[in-house]
């Protein structure tokens, strides 16, 4: 029986290795995906060179500690690309172990396979993210907590470590404690001590950190942006396919007949999905619950007595095709995930120039800061940036203003030396080639075109550098 269970486990593991491993190897120029990965690598290099910093020298904002940066600072650079996949595989093994307590071997394998084929899980198996490390640490901690041997004591240091993650993860941890309290009936006393230890450590650490770096200011997404980011078919990367949400809804409806049995799942799914609205990366944790409800829905559809057998076949075939379609859209988006070869070449062009502050869109700026080690106006994570709102207003005015004098005042105030304009910026910021900054760039006394790298333009602001 154990041998059969292991054979079932191999299916999701091989799918994860095949999908994620292939994309890692395809990045012949750089095996790192997304601006988030480059941000974490830069912070790790900073820690490796100078220890835990008090501020980020390239953005000028206070530095907020996260355990991922310390881990990356310890690891060799060559392992960075493979760390997310390793964390994903460890998480899968632990989830398999948990699900085997409640499901048969083939149902546990199907649950893991549903999770592996969800874009949100694949996305976090490719990028360096605190969310991936947080999930792995949480699963290890709860796995150890349930042991009847002295190994259970090893869970307490892990719960202390989890208290050092950024604030959104602390709220997620409280949601997971609520879920675990409803599920772990035999270990509630031990769980209570772990929760108390975690909460006390988190409160002390956050109090000390706020004294030094202040209170973080997070950006709240609009409902439309949240939907676009959360549904694969709408363009989301760290997202779920539309059919996953439909099936999860069916699974919740079916499970309502046994409310007490699934109370821990209702609590976890609701709280984590609500938190993911404010901090989108937490959708990965919510997906653990949603995929379980998807499994319940699939079981219901297979067991249900259909009056027309062909309708059942058509329904299941539609679900299968919808899931494959979502996965295909996701893979297509991965192929254009930054950095592009043109952006890598752009960084080389800038490195041959005198050091100066770079202005571009948030993703491009974050990647260029890591590749060139030049300061930037703003990056993807300005939670601790002084006068964030004022700086954003200046940037918006630079992009859209037709007044050369006003634009020069803003550029000088921000000490901008270089402006990097990408095709994505032209599509999102300007309606035609004569709008705002694109029109002002024609002034050769103020702006000098350094290079055109494919469709990326690199401009120098002369009054600052000259």
């Amino acid at each position: 029986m154990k041998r059969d269970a292991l054979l079932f486990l191999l299916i999701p593991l091989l799918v994860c290795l095949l999908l994620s491993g292939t994309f890692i190897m395809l990045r012949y120029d750089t095996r790192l995906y997304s601006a988030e990965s480059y941000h974490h690598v830069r912070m790790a290099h900073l820690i490796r060179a100078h220890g835990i910093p008090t501020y980020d020298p390239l953005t000028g904002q206070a530095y907020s500690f996260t355990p991922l940066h310390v881990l990356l600072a310890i690891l060799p650079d060559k392992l960075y690309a493979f760390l997310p996949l390793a964390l994903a595989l460890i998480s899968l093994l632990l989830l398999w172990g948990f699900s085997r307590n409640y499901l048969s071997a083939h149902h546990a394998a199907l649950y893991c396979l549903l999770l592996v084929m969800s874009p949100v899980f694949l996305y976090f198996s490719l990028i360096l993210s605190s969310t991936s490390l947080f999930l792995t640490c949480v699963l290890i901690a709860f796995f150890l907590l349930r042991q009847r041997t002295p190994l259970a004591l090893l869970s307490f240091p892990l719960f202390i470590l989890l208290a050092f993650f950024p604030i959104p993860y602390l709220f997620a941890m409280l949601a997971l404690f609520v879920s675990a309290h409803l599920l772990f009936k035999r270990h509630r006393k031990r769980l209570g001590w772990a929760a108390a230890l975690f909460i006390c450590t988190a409160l002390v650490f956050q109090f000390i950190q706020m004294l030094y770096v202040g209170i973080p200011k997070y950006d709240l997404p609009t409902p439309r942006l949240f939907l676009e980011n959360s549904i694969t078919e709408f363009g989301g990367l760290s997202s779920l396919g539309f059919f996953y949400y439909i099936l999860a809804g069916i699974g919740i409806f079916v499970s309502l007949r046994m409310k007490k049995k699934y109370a821990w799942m209702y609590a976890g799914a609701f709280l984590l999905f609500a938190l993911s609205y404010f901090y989108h990366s937490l959708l990965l944790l919510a997906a653990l619950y949603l995929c379980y409800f998807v499994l319940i829905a699939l079981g219901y559809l297979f067991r249900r007595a259909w009056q027309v057998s062909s309708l059942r076949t058509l329904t299941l075939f539609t679900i299968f095709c919808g899931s494959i379609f979502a996965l295909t859209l996701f893979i297509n988006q991965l192929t254009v995930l930054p950095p592009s070869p043109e952006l890598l070449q752009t960084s080389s062009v800038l490195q041959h120039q005198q050091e100066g502050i770079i202005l571009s869109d948030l993703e491009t700026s974050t990647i260029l800061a890591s590749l060139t080690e030049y300061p930037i106006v703003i990056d993807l994570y300005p939670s601790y940036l002084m006068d964030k709102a004022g700086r954003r207003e200046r940037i918006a005015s630079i992009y859209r203003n037709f007044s050369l004098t006003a634009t020069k005042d803003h550029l000088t105030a921000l000490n901008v030396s270089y402006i990097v304009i990408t095709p994505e910026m032209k599509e999102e910021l300007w309606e035609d080639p004569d709008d705002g900054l694109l029109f002002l760039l024609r002034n050769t006394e103020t702006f000098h075109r350094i290079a055109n790298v494919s469709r990326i333009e690199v401009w120098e602001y002369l009054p600052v550098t000259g």
Side-chain angles (χ1 to χ4, degrees):
M1 185 63 184
K2 289 185 177 179
R3 182 180 178 183
D4 292 338
L6 290 174
L7 288 175
F8 282 121
L9 173 61
L10 284 177
I11 297 173
L13 289 177
L14 288 175
V15 171
C16 186
L17 280 170
L18 179 64
L19 293 174
S20 301
T22 300
F23 275 98
I24 290 172
M25 301 308 297
L26 283 176
R27 297 301 285 252
Y28 58 90
D29 43 14
T30 170
R31 291 179 180 174
L32 291 180
Y33 279 89
S34 85
E36 182 176 356
S37 296
Y38 282 87
H39 168 77
H40 293 313
V41 167
R42 183 168 67 83
M43 292 296 102
H45 288 170
L46 186 62
I47 291 174
R48 188 184 296 170
H50 306 291
I52 305 294
T54 55
Y55 75 101
D56 180 356
L58 299 190
T59 62
Q61 66 174 325
Y63 170 73
S64 175
F65 176 80
T66 182
L68 176 64
H69 298 161
V70 176
L71 176 62
L72 293 176
I74 297 171
L75 292 176
D77 289 7
K78 293 181 179 179
L79 297 181
Y80 287 171
F82 301 98
L83 178 62
L85 179 58
L87 292 174
L89 293 174
I90 294 171
S91 297
L92 268 181
L93 288 170
L94 291 167
L95 285 169
W96 165 265
F98 276 120
S99 57
R100 283 292 289 119
N101 293 318
Y102 310 100
L103 300 169
S104 62
H106 66 281
H107 280 150
L110 180 57
Y111 167 70
C112 291
L113 185 60
L114 288 170
L115 188 64
V116 165
M117 294 190 66
S118 65
V120 65
F121 188 87
L122 287 173
Y123 178 77
F124 283 105
S125 70
L126 290 171
I127 72 164
L128 291 169
S129 171
S130 291
T131 309
S132 302
L133 180 61
F134 177 80
L135 172 61
T136 305
C137 291
V138 164
L139 292 174
I140 294 174
F142 281 124
F143 175 79
L144 291 174
L145 185 73
R146 298 186 60 190
Q147 302 304 307
R148 298 179 180 178
T149 64
L151 281 175
L153 296 176
L154 295 178
S155 66
F156 294 109
L158 273 174
F159 283 113
I160 293 175
L161 173 65
L162 289 165
F164 290 90
F165 278 82
I167 291 176
Y169 297 100
L170 305 185
F171 287 107
M173 194 68 221
L174 295 178
L176 292 170
F177 273 125
V178 171
S179 187
H181 175 75
L182 296 172
L183 180 64
F184 298 164
K185 296 180 180 179
R186 297 181 181 178
H187 309 284
R188 284 182 175 175
K189 184 176 180 180
R190 197 181 298 172
L191 183 67
W193 281 107
L197 190 62
F198 166 81
I199 292 171
C200 291
T201 307
L203 289 175
V204 171
F205 172 69
Q206 291 301 325
F207 177 74
I208 294 173
Q209 182 167 251
M210 287 181 184
L211 286 178
Y212 283 92
V213 302
I215 300 174
K217 302 177 182 65
Y218 295 105
D219 297 320
L220 297 181
T222 62
R224 178 180 175 182
L225 181 62
F226 173 72
L227 289 174
E228 289 176 352
N229 288 336
S230 301
I231 301 176
T232 307
E233 290 84 348
F234 287 1
L237 273 168
S238 52
S239 59
L240 285 166
F242 188 65
F243 277 95
Y244 271 76
Y245 289 105
I246 293 177
L247 289 171
I250 296 173
I252 291 173
F253 179 77
V254 171
S255 64
L256 285 175
R257 301 171 185 174
M258 304 174 69
K259 295 179 182 179
K260 292 184 178 180
K261 179 180 179 180
Y262 295 106
W264 66 277
M265 291 190 62
Y266 300 142
F270 174 78
L271 292 172
L272 289 170
F273 195 78
L275 288 170
S276 70
Y277 177 83
F278 302 99
Y279 195 72
H280 183 69
S281 294
L282 296 181
L283 184 62
L284 174 63
L285 304 180
L288 303 183
Y289 295 86
L290 293 178
C291 285
Y292 199 100
F293 285 120
V294 170
L295 180 67
I296 294 173
L298 289 175
Y300 168 75
L301 292 175
F302 273 106
R303 294 190 308 269
R304 187 171 182 269
W306 294 77
Q307 293 181 353
V308 182
S309 60
S310 58
L311 185 59
R312 171 188 173 182
T313 304
L314 180 62
T315 301
L316 295 174
F317 181 73
T318 303
I319 292 170
F320 173 77
C321 289
S323 301
I324 296 298
F325 178 68
L327 189 59
T328 303
L329 285 177
F330 168 74
I331 291 173
N332 185 56
Q333 293 178 76
L334 278 183
T335 58
V336 295
L337 200 65
S340 63
E342 292 79 16
L343 186 56
L344 296 174
Q345 190 176 345
T346 300
S347 70
S348 299
V349 170
L350 285 168
Q351 284 176 309
H352 287 87
Q353 307 296 318
Q354 185 179 355
E355 182 178 324
I357 296 178
I358 300 169
L359 172 65
S360 188
D361 66 84
L362 300 183
E363 281 199 348
T364 302
S365 296
T366 304
I367 294 172
L368 288 176
S370 178
L371 295 175
T372 64
E373 296 187 0
Y374 287 1
I376 55 178
V377 175
I378 193 171
D379 69 355
L380 270 175
Y381 308 98
S383 303
Y384 292 91
L385 185 64
M386 295 291 291
D387 191 28
K388 180 173 69 172
R391 184 167 298 202
R392 283 178 167 173
E393 287 179 7
R394 286 188 181 275
I395 294 171
S397 181
I398 289 170
Y399 289 148
R400 300 186 181 279
N401 209 319
F402 280 92
S403 169
L404 181 61
T405 302
T407 299
K408 288 170 67 175
D409 289 342
H410 291 311
L411 290 170
T412 302
L414 295 173
N415 294 319
V416 172
S417 299
Y418 305 105
I419 303 171
V420 177
I421 298 177
T422 65
E424 292 77 18
M425 291 173 66
K426 288 185 176 181
E427 292 176 4
E428 296 173 7
L429 297 175
W430 300 288
E431 294 181 359
D432 60 63
D434 292 326
D435 272 354
L437 182 62
L438 296 182
F439 174 76
L440 298 179
L441 288 174
R442 298 175 183 177
N443 188 309
T444 56
E445 295 180 358
T446 307
F447 302 100
H448 168 63
R449 189 199 299 265
I450 296 175
N452 264 21
V453 183
S454 185
R455 296 185 298 160
I456 298 178
E457 300 177 11
V458 183
W459 295 83
E460 181 181 15
Y461 175 50
L462 297 176
V464 174
T465 57

